[in-house]
C-alpha cells in the first residue's frame, strides 16, 4: 500500500519534473492541432468522411428509393447491387437516402444542442448569481426529463411527425448534460488570470466570453458536438425502429424498422438489415475514435507515454 | 496626478457548506492613500487578504463596505465611469503563465487595451503602439515578440508582456499582485527593477503586494503588514522590518532566511576576505545608503 | 565534512528525457553525501535538480531515462548497494527503508479518505510485516510526537490538518523506518514563511537526534545557506559549484552562484543589486 502511495506521488511529481525540464507544453491552437493528428483521429476522420460523402453524393447516383417493383425480395444482383426489399425497392438507394437522413438528424440535433448548452452553460456560469441559479435549476430539470417517454407522449398527440419535430425533441431533451459540462468549464476558466486581466483592460462582457473564454472551451465543445451527433443518430434510429420516429422519412432507423416488419430475419434477407446496421456501427466507431483523440487533447493525462523504440539501443550504448 | 484613496475597505465572503452559511471576513477595515511616484508594499501570508484588496481596487471584486476614491471622487463601478477608472488603475497579475491567454498572440494582449482606450486608431498605428510598449518593457526589438504566442516566451518575458499590457492605457496607479513570485529567482530582480524604472519614468503610484519582506523593503516607500485581513503594522520599510512592533511582524522577520544575521556566518566571516561578502558583492554600488 | 564516511556516492549520473528532441536533464553529475550530512541542491526551474533526486532513487519513468553513471548506497551494515541495479522487490525495500523522500506537494499526496493512522500503519505493514498491531500504533504515536504533531491527531483525516501539519505528517512517515538518507524536494516551498521556519527547525533537530543525511532541493538559496553543510549549485543539468555553505556565501567562485546570491535582496543588510532605494536616496540610484 505504502509503496503504492509513494509511487503515485512520484507519478504526480514526475509531471512536475516534466514541466520544469521542458519548455511548457504547447497549449496554443497549432500545438493542439498537431497533437490531435494521431492515428486514432485519422482513422476516425476517414471513416466518418467516407460515410458523409456517401450520404451527400450517393442519392444523386442511385435509383428511386421508393420505386415499387413486383420482383419482391431479391438478393444482391447486378441490377440491384444490394438487392431489393419486400416491395422491390432498391436497397442501395434506400441506404444512400437514409444515410443522408440520419446525418441531417445527427448534425442538426448536435448543432441545436450545442447552441442550447452553450447558452445556458456558459452565459449562466459567467454572469453568476441569480441568473446562474435559475439557469442551473432549469438545466437540472431538463436533465431528468427522459427523452423517450417525452417522444412517446408527443407521438400520441401528433399523427404526422416531421423530421424537424424529431430533431427539436431530441435537441430539447439532449442539451442539459452538455450545459453542465460547459458550466463547470466556464466556472474554472472565468476566474483564470487572463480573463480577469482582460476585464481589467476594460473588455465588455460579451467580448470576454467570445474572445477570451470561448476559444478555450472549443475542445470541450467539439467533443460534445461529436458526442451528441452520435447520440442523436442512435436515438433517432431507436425511435424509428420502435415506430415512433418521423413519418415518411428515410433514415437508418426506418430501414431497420421496415426490415424488421418485412421479416427480413425470417427470410434470411441479410442484405436488407445488415447495411444500415453496419453503417451505424462504423459511424459510431469513427465518431468515438475522433472523440477519444479530442479527449486526449483536452486531458493530457489520458495520453499514454510510450517508450520510444530506440530505448534498447540507448541503454546498450 | 491621480491619487488613489482606500477608506475602511472590508470584504466578507459567504461560505456555503451544505446547509450552513458562515461568513469569512477576508479584509477588515483597510485604509491607505497612494500618491503618484510612491510605492506602498502590502505584505502578508497566503490567506491574509492582500490579494482580495488588490482585486477590490482593480474592481474585480465588490467591497462589502468601504470606499475607493480616485482624486477624492468615489470610483465608478460600471459603464463609462468604470472605463475611465480602468484608464487610471491597472493591474499586473501573479502568474504570467495564466495571465496571458494561450490562444492569442502577444500582440492581441497589447492591442486590445490600446483600441479600447483609444490610445491609437488604425491597424498600423495600433501595432506600432504595441511594439513601442514591448520596447518599453525591454522586449526589444518589439517586432520579434509581437507575433509570438505566450508559450514561446519565458516566464520573465511573459511577465514583461503583462506589465506592458497594464501600461497600455497610461495608468497612474499600478497594482502589482506578487509580480515576481512565480518567476525564477535570477530574473526576479530584473523584473522588479523594470517596475521601479517605469514607476519613476511614468510617475506611477504602485501597490506592491507580496509575501516577501525583503523585496518589499527595497521596493517600497511605505510598508503595510497584513494578517488575517487586518493591517497589523505600517510605517517606513526600515522601521517596520528592523524594529517590528506587532507580534506577527516580529515572527515574520525572524522566520525569513537571512544568512547575514546567522551566527554561523557571522562567526565564519573572519576567515574570509571582506571584499566578497555574500549578497553585497557588487562593486559599483554605494554602500550603506539604506 | 569530507572526512565523514559516505552514505551515498553518485558517480557521473546522466539522465535524458527522450522525445522529439532529447533533453539532457542531468549531465555527468557526481556527488558524495556523508553520513548525517545536509547537502543542499540549489538551482532554478529546469536545472535538473529534481530529476537528479528522482534518478538517485530510481523513481524516473519514461520518457526519462538514466543513460549512464552509478549510484552506490553505503549501508549502515557496511554493505554497498548498487541502486541502479536493484529490481522490483529489492528496490521497493530499499526505497522507504534506506532512503525516503518528502516532496513539495507531499502534503497533498496524503490519501483524503483514510485516516492518518491507517496511512502510517501502511508503511509498517508493507515494510515490517511482522510488527504487531499494537507496535504499529505505538510507533506511529511516537513518530508524530517526534515531528511535533499531537498524537491525538492520529484519527484525523488529511483535510482536517493545516498545510504545515500535513507536511509534518509526511516527514513522520518518511522517518518511519529510520532511513539513513532523506531526499527533500522543495518540502517547504508551498508553505508560508513562518511555517517554513518551524518545519526547518524541526528537520534540523531531528537530524541532530537521529543522524540521517539529507539531500535538500530548493531554489531558495538563503534558506539553504542556513541549513546545509555543503551546497551544490546546479544549472543546465550540471553541478557548477560545490562547497561548504560558508564558502558559497563568502567566496563563491562561479559567476552564476554569485548571481543567484545577489538575486535575494537582504532583509536587514545592504541593498545589493537593487537599484531602487528608499525615497530619500532615489536620486543617487544607479540606473
Amino acid at each position: 500500500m505504502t509503496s503504492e502511495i509513494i509511487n503515485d506521488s512520484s507519478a504526480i511529481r514526475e509531471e512536475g519534473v516534466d514541466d520544469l525540464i521542458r519548455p511548457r507544453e504547447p497549449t496554443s491552437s497549432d500545438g493542439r492541432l498537431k497533437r490531435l493528428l494521431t492515428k486514432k483521429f485519422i482513422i476516425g476522420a476517414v471513416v466518418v468522411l467516407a460515410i458523409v460523402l456517401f450520404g451527400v453524393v450517393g442519392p444523386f447516383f442511385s435509383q428511386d428509393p421508393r420505386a415499387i417493383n413486383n420482383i419482391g425480395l431479391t438478393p444482391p444482383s447486378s441490377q440491384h447491387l444490394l438487392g431489393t426489399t419486400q416491395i422491390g425497392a432498391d436497397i442501395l438507394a434506400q441506404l444512400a437516402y437514409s444515410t443522408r437522413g440520419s446525418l441531417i438528424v445527427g448534425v442538426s440535433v448536435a448543432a441545436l444542442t450545442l447552441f442550447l448548452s452553450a447558452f445556458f452553460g456558459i452565459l449562466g456560469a459567467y454572469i453568476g448569481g441569480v441568473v446562474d441559479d435559475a439557469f442551473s435549476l432549469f438545466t437540472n430539470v431538463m436533465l431528468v426529463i427522459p427523452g423517450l417517454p417525452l417522444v412517446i407522449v408527443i407521438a400520441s398527440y401528433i399523427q404526422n411527425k416531421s423530421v424537424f419535430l424529431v430533431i427539436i425533441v431530441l435537441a430539447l431533451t439532449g442539451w442539459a448534460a452538455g450545459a453542465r459540462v460547459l458550466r463547470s468549464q466556464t466556472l474554472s476558466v472565468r476566474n483564470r488570470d487572463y480573463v480577469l486581466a482582460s476585464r481589467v483592460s476594460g473588455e465588455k462582457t460579451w467580448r470576454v466570453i467570445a474572445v477570451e473564454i470561448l476559444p478555450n472551451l472549443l475542445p470541450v465543445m467539439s467533443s460534445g458536438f461529436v458526442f451528441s451527433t452520435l447520440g442523436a443518430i442512435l436515438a433517432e434510429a431507436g425511435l424509428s425502429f420502435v415506430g415512433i420516429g418521423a413519418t415518411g422519412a428515410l433514415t437508418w432507423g426506418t430501414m431497420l424498422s421496415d426490415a424488421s416488419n418485412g421479416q427480413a430475419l425470417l427470410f434470411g434477407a441479410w442484405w436488407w438489415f445488415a447495411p444500415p446496421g453496419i453503417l451505424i456501427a462504423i459511424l459510431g466507431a469513427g465518431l468515438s475514435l475522433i472523440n477519444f483523440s479530442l479527449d486526449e487533447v483536452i486531458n493530457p493525462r489520458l495520453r499514454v507515454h510510450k517508450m520510444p523504440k530506440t530505448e534498447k539501443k540507448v541503454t546498450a550504448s | 496626478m491621480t491619487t488613489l484613496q482606500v477608506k475602511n475597505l472590508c470584504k466578507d465572503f459567504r461560505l456555503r457548506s451544505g446547509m450552513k452559511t458562515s461568513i469569512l471576513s477576508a479584509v477588515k477595515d483597510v485604509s491607505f492613500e497612494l500618491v503618484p511616484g510612491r510605492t506602498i508594499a502590502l505584505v502578508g501570508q497566503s490567506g491574509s487578504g492582500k490579494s482580495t484588496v488588490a482585486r477590490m481596487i482593480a474592481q474585480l471584486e465588490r467591497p462589502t463596505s468601504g470606499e475607493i476614491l480616485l482624486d477624492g471622487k468615489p470610483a465608478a463601478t460600471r459603464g463609462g465611469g468604470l472605463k475611465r477608472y480602468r484608464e487610471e488603475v491597472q493591474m499586473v497579475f501573479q502568474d504570467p503563465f495564466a495571465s496571458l491567454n494561450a490562444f492569442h498572440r502577444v500582440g492581441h494582449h497589447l492591442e486590445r487595451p490600446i483600441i479600447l482606450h483609444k490610445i491609437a486608431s488604425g491597424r498600423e498605428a495600433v501595432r506600432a503602439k504595441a511594439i513601442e510598449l514591448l520596447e518599453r518593457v525591454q522586449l526589444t526589438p518589439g517586432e520579434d515578440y509581437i507575433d509570438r504566442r505566450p508559450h514561446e516566451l519565458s516566464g520573465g518575458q511573459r511577465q514583461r508582456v503583462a506589465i506592458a499590457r497594464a501600461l497600455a492605457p497610461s495608468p497612474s496607479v499600478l497594482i502589482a499582485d506578487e509580480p515576481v513570485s512565480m518567476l525564477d529567482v535570477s530574473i526576479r530582480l530584473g523584473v522588479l527593477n523594470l517596475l521601479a524604472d517605469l514607476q519613476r519614468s511614468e510617475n506611477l503610484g504602485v501597490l506592491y503586494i507580496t509575501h516577501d519582506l525583503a523585496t518589499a523593503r527595497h521596493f517600497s516607500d511605505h510598508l503595510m503588514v497584513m494578517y488575517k485581513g487586518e493591517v497589523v503594522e505600517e510605517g517606513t520599510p526600515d522601521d517596520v522590518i528592523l524594529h517590528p512592533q506587532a507580534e506577527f511582524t516580529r515572527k515574520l522577520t525572524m522566520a525569513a532566511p537571512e544568512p547575514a544575521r546567522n551566527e554561523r556566518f557571522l562567526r565564519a566571516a573572519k576567515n574570509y576576505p571582506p571584499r566578497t561578502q555574500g549578497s553585497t558583492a557588487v562593486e559599483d554600488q554605494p554602500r550603506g545608503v539604506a | 565534512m569530507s572526512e565523514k564516511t559516505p552514505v551515498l556516492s553518485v558517480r557521473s549520473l546522466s539522465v535524458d528525457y527522450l522525445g522529439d528532441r532529447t533533453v539532457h536533464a542531468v549531465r555527468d553529475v557526481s556527488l558524495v553525501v556523508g553520513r548525517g550530512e545536509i547537502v543542499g541542491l540549489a538551482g532554478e526551474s529546469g536545472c535538473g535538480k529534481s530529476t537528479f533526486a528522482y534518478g538517485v532513487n530510481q523513481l524516473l519513468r519514461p520518457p526519462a531515462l538514466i543513460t549512464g553513471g552509478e549510484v552506490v548506497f553505503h549501508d549502515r551494515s557496511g554493505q554497498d548497494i548498487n541502486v541502479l541495479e536493484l529490481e522490483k522487490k529489492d528496490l521497493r525495500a530499499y526505497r522507504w527503508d534506506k532512503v525516503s523522500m518528502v516532496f513539495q506537494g507531499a502534503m497533498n499526496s496524503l490519501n483524503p479518505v483514510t485516516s492518518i493512522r491507517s496511512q502510517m500503519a501502511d508503511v509498517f505493514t508493507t515494510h515490517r510485516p511482522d510488527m504487531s498491531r499494537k507496535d504499529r500504533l505505538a510507533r506511529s504515536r511516537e513518530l508524530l510526537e517526534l515531528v511535533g504533531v499531537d498524537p491525538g491527531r492520529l484519527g484525523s483525516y488529511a483535510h482536517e490538518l493545516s498545510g504545515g501539519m500535513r507536511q509534518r505528517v509526511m516527514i513522520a512517515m518518511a522517518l518511519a523506518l529510520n532511513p539513513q538518507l532523506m531526499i527533500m524536494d522543495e518540502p517547504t516551498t508551498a508553505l508560508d514563511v513562518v511555517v517554513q521556519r518551524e518545519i526547518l527547525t524541526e528537520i534540523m533537530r531531528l537530524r541532530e537526534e537521529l543522524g540521517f543525511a539529507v539531500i535538500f532541493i530548493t531554489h531558495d538559496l538563503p534558506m539553504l545557506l542556513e541549513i546545509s553543510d555543503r551546497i551544490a549549485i546546479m544549472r543546465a543539468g550540471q553541478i557548477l559549484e560545490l562547497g561548504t555553505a560558508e564558502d558559497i556565501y563568502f567566496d563563491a567562485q562561479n559567476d552564476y552562484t554569485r548571481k543567484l546570491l545577489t538575486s535575494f535582496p537582504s532583509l536587514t543588510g545592504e541593498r545589493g543589486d537593487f537599484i531602487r532605494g528608499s525615497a530619500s536616496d532615489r536620486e543617487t540610484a544607479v540606473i
Side-chain angles (χ1 to χ4, degrees):
Chain A
M1 215 14 218
T2 312
S3 54
E4 265 175 44
I5 294 172
I6 296 160
N7 283 339
D8 276 351
S9 48
S10 74
I12 294 164
R13 277 296 298 159
E14 254 160 322
E15 280 183 12
V17 173
D18 229 292
D19 244 25
L20 299 178
I21 298 298
R22 299 171 179 170
R24 300 217 167 195
E25 287 268 355
T27 43
S28 66
S29 47
D30 37 311
R32 278 185 165 159
L33 204 66
K34 205 178 154 196
R35 272 192 280 150
L36 188 60
L37 290 176
T38 55
K39 208 191 248 173
K40 245 186 248 176
F41 183 81
I42 292 167
I43 293 175
V46 166
V47 166
V48 171
L49 269 179
I51 293 178
V52 168
L53 213 65
F54 177 58
V56 171
V57 182
F60 294 117
F61 297 100
S62 59
Q63 310 170 16
D64 180 2
R66 298 183 205 272
I68 296 170
N69 193 328
N70 59 9
I71 56 172
L73 193 65
T74 54
S77 63
S78 56
Q79 277 283 301
H80 303 283
L81 286 176
L82 281 175
T84 57
T85 69
Q86 212 176 20
I87 51 170
D90 181 61
I91 285 180
L92 184 62
Q94 285 210 336
L95 196 65
Y97 278 89
S98 298
T99 304
R100 180 185 277 181
S102 280
L103 285 176
I104 287 174
V105 170
V107 172
S108 320
V109 171
L112 268 175
T113 303
L114 186 67
F115 174 77
L116 286 170
S117 54
F119 181 79
F120 286 103
I122 301 176
L123 207 61
Y126 185 77
I127 295 172
V130 186
V131 178
D132 186 30
D133 286 345
F135 277 15
S136 5
L137 181 69
F138 183 55
T139 307
N140 288 339
V141 168
M142 288 309 290
L143 197 60
V144 293
I145 293 180
L148 194 61
L150 185 67
V151 179
I152 293 172
V153 169
I154 291 174
S156 60
Y157 276 104
I158 304 166
Q159 285 309 308
N160 272 322
K161 295 181 293 298
S162 63
V163 177
F164 184 66
L165 186 77
V166 172
I167 289 172
I168 297 285
V169 170
L170 287 177
L172 282 179
T173 53
W175 61 271
R180 287 191 54 123
V181 173
L182 284 179
R183 177 174 176 268
S184 66
Q185 280 284 322
T186 310
L187 281 180
S188 95
V189 173
R190 85 172 184 143
N191 279 325
R192 297 217 181 128
D193 283 356
Y194 61 81
V195 173
L196 299 180
S198 70
R199 281 171 64 196
V200 172
S201 293
E203 292 280 16
K204 290 204 167 59
T205 303
W206 69 267
R207 235 198 114 96
V208 174
I209 294 179
V211 179
E212 306 293 334
I213 293 183
L214 216 53
N216 289 286
L217 296 178
L218 272 181
V220 185
M221 286 168 73
S222 41
S223 154
F225 185 85
V226 172
F227 187 71
S228 44
T229 304
L230 178 57
I233 288 173
L234 290 177
E236 192 280 331
L239 290 179
S240 296
F241 188 76
V242 295
I244 52 173
T247 32
L250 263 179
T251 66
W252 291 332
T254 57
M255 273 187 86
L256 286 172
S257 166
D258 286 349
S260 151
N261 288 338
Q263 295 179 325
L265 278 167
L266 198 71
F267 296 123
W270 54 267
W271 59 89
W272 195 355
F273 60 80
I278 289 171
L279 277 192
I280 289 180
I282 291 180
L283 183 73
L287 288 175
S288 299
L289 282 175
I290 292 178
N291 222 351
F292 288 153
S293 16
L294 281 173
D295 271 348
E296 282 174 23
V297 174
I298 300 166
N299 185 358
R301 237 171 284 173
L302 291 176
R303 258 178 303 154
V304 187
H305 261 306
K306 270 195 218 117
M307 203 61 190
K309 288 200 178 101
T310 50
E311 177 203 352
K312 276 185 186 133
K313 280 181 217 152
V314 176
T315 4
S317 63
Chain B
M1 294 294 106
T2 312
T3 303
L4 178 84
Q5 237 180 315
V6 171
K7 274 189 189 166
N8 309 105
L9 211 57
C10 295
K11 178 73 187 180
D12 294 340
F13 286 110
R14 212 173 281 273
L15 301 178
R16 263 191 284 185
S17 70
M19 299 299 283
K20 280 181 284 184
T21 26
S22 55
I23 287 180
L24 172 81
S25 298
V27 175
K28 294 176 221 165
D29 207 19
V30 170
S31 305
F32 59 87
E33 189 179 307
L34 189 55
V35 298
R38 258 172 87 85
T39 300
I40 294 181
L42 195 55
V43 181
Q45 302 201 282
S46 53
S48 63
K50 57 187 195 303
S51 287
T52 311
V53 171
R55 282 157 170 255
M56 284 192 285
I57 297 173
Q59 301 234 23
L60 291 170
E61 204 97 64
R62 286 259 163 97
T64 310
S65 65
E67 278 183 299
I68 297 168
L69 306 167
L70 207 58
D71 275 338
K73 279 173 248 132
T77 54
R78 51 174 59 237
L82 178 60
K83 202 169 163 191
R84 273 189 297 282
Y85 179 84
R86 297 212 185 285
E87 264 159 42
E88 297 298 330
V89 182
Q90 279 292 314
M91 178 164 173
V92 176
F93 290 83
Q94 174 176 14
D95 185 355
F97 292 94
S99 70
L100 302 181
N101 195 337
F103 201 82
H104 297 297
R105 294 179 191 281
V106 166
H108 167 90
H109 296 93
L110 302 173
E111 285 164 5
R112 284 305 300 165
I114 293 170
I115 295 166
L116 278 166
H117 297 287
K118 304 194 174 66
I119 306 297
S121 60
R123 259 180 90 91
E124 286 311 307
V126 168
R127 191 178 157 90
K129 178 74 190 162
I131 290 173
E132 186 197 316
L133 280 169
L134 283 171
E135 296 186 346
R136 233 159 72 212
V137 294
Q138 292 156 20
L139 292 175
T140 42
E143 288 91 346
D144 281 3
Y145 292 93
I146 192 162
D147 290 322
R148 292 210 207 167
R149 289 186 184 275
H151 74 266
E152 294 167 324
L153 303 181
S154 71
Q157 289 170 332
R158 285 171 184 230
Q159 198 59 305
R160 284 167 197 268
V161 173
I163 293 169
R165 166 174 59 191
L167 292 177
S170 316
S172 46
V173 172
L174 190 67
I175 301 155
D177 186 5
E178 304 246 19
V180 295
S181 68
M182 304 289 278
L183 303 179
D184 265 333
V185 288
S186 63
I187 54 173
R188 284 183 189 172
L189 279 193
V191 172
L192 280 177
N193 285 339
L194 169 72
L195 275 173
D197 265 355
L198 290 168
Q199 167 184 48
R200 235 167 297 148
S201 58
E202 320 267 320
N203 202 24
L204 291 168
V206 175
L207 180 66
Y208 173 52
I209 290 168
T210 182
H211 64 272
D212 179 20
L213 266 180
T215 58
R217 175 182 175 218
H218 297 275
F219 190 62
S220 68
D221 307 304
H222 187 81
L223 196 149
M224 304 202 296
V225 180
M226 258 187 110
Y227 180 62
K228 291 190 175 169
E230 282 174 284
V231 174
V232 291
E233 184 164 3
E234 59 180 307
T236 66
D238 279 3
D239 272 355
V240 173
I241 289 166
L242 301 177
H243 314 287
Q245 302 299 315
E247 173 66 29
F248 175 72
T249 320
R250 230 180 324 234
K251 250 193 192 164
L252 207 57
T253 52
M254 291 318 292
E258 176 71 339
R261 64 171 178 213
N262 188 306
E263 260 180 65
R264 177 174 154 207
F265 290 94
L266 291 174
R267 237 182 295 126
K270 293 192 249 357
N271 310 330
Y272 294 89
R275 188 182 53 82
T276 51
Q277 282 197 7
S279 57
T280 56
V282 182
E283 264 72 27
D284 57 346
Q285 286 293 312
R287 284 278 182 94
V289 265
Chain C
M1 295 298 145
S2 48
E3 69 268 21
K4 283 200 175 176
T5 52
V7 64
L8 186 80
S9 322
V10 181
R11 261 190 294 279
S12 348
L13 187 73
S14 294
V15 181
D16 285 354
Y17 279 86
L18 306 177
D20 297 339
R21 61 197 155 84
T22 299
V23 179
H24 306 289
V26 174
R27 292 186 284 175
D28 203 18
V29 168
S30 301
L31 183 70
V32 177
V33 182
R35 202 160 278 286
E37 184 186 29
I38 298 188
V39 176
L41 208 53
E44 300 186 275
S45 58
C47 74
K49 56 189 193 299
S50 296
T51 309
F52 172 76
Y54 285 93
V56 164
N57 228 350
Q58 263 229 62
L59 275 170
L60 292 169
R61 286 190 204 170
L65 187 74
I66 296 175
T67 51
E70 192 185 31
V71 179
V72 179
F73 181 83
H74 312 282
D75 195 40
R76 218 178 260 139
S77 64
Q79 184 199 1
D80 280 359
I81 300 170
N82 192 336
V83 180
L84 298 185
E85 275 167 19
L86 289 177
E87 291 286 340
K88 288 172 181 153
K89 197 164 149 264
D90 295 332
L91 184 62
R92 226 173 299 152
Y94 160 80
R95 266 184 198 154
W96 217 243
D97 216 342
K98 314 279 186 208
V99 179
S100 61
M101 291 193 83
V102 179
F103 313 98
Q104 174 178 1
M107 52 221 209
N108 301 324
S109 55
L110 282 171
N111 189 338
V113 295
T114 55
S115 66
I116 303 299
R117 177 187 314 157
S118 69
Q119 287 180 66
M120 293 192 73
D122 274 345
V123 180
F124 300 117
T125 36
T126 314
H127 291 273
R128 301 276 186 277
D130 26 301
M131 224 165 145
S132 76
R133 206 187 146 85
K134 215 177 106 204
D135 288 347
R136 284 203 298 261
L137 187 64
R139 178 76 178 134
S140 302
R141 298 181 75 90
E142 189 188 342
L143 281 168
L144 282 193
E145 217 153 342
L146 201 60
V147 296
V149 175
D150 174 16
R153 305 303 291 261
L154 260 182
S156 304
Y157 289 82
H159 68 270
E160 298 171 323
L161 305 174
S162 68
M165 282 237 254
R166 269 180 274 163
Q167 195 61 293
R168 280 164 192 266
V169 171
M170 288 310 293
I171 292 173
M173 283 170 70
L175 286 171
L177 305 174
N178 217 347
Q180 296 161 55
L181 174 65
M182 273 171 96
I183 298 176
M184 301 192 162
D185 186 9
E186 307 258 9
T188 59
T189 306
L191 303 171
D192 284 326
V193 197
V194 177
V195 185
Q196 165 180 309
R197 171 62 65 181
E198 287 168 12
I199 300 261
L200 289 179
T201 316
E202 209 70 61
I203 293 172
M204 301 291 281
R205 184 178 64 78
L206 291 168
R207 200 265 309 227
E208 223 34 60
E209 263 174 49
L210 306 174
F212 53 81
V214 178
I215 297 180
F216 200 106
I217 300 165
T218 180
H219 66 275
D220 189 345
L221 194 50
M223 185 238 274
L224 218 46
L225 283 166
E226 291 198 356
I227 63 167
S228 314
D229 298 313
R230 283 188 306 151
I231 292 175
I233 308 284
M234 257 188 109
R235 190 189 197 185
Q238 288 174 311
I239 290 184
L240 295 183
E241 189 164 2
L242 175 70
T244 64
E246 287 87 348
D247 276 345
I248 296 281
Y249 184 62
F250 289 113
D251 195 21
Q253 298 302 311
N254 192 285
D255 285 341
Y256 179 70
T257 311
R258 278 201 288 269
K259 183 170 186 206
L260 270 190
L261 281 165
T262 52
S263 297
F264 293 92
S266 160
L267 180 63
T268 51
E270 293 159 41
R271 279 168 42 234
D273 253 4
F274 229 65
I275 60 163
R276 184 193 195 280
S278 56
S280 58
D281 63 334
R282 187 172 301 155
E283 288 73 29
T284 65
V286 186
I287 299 168

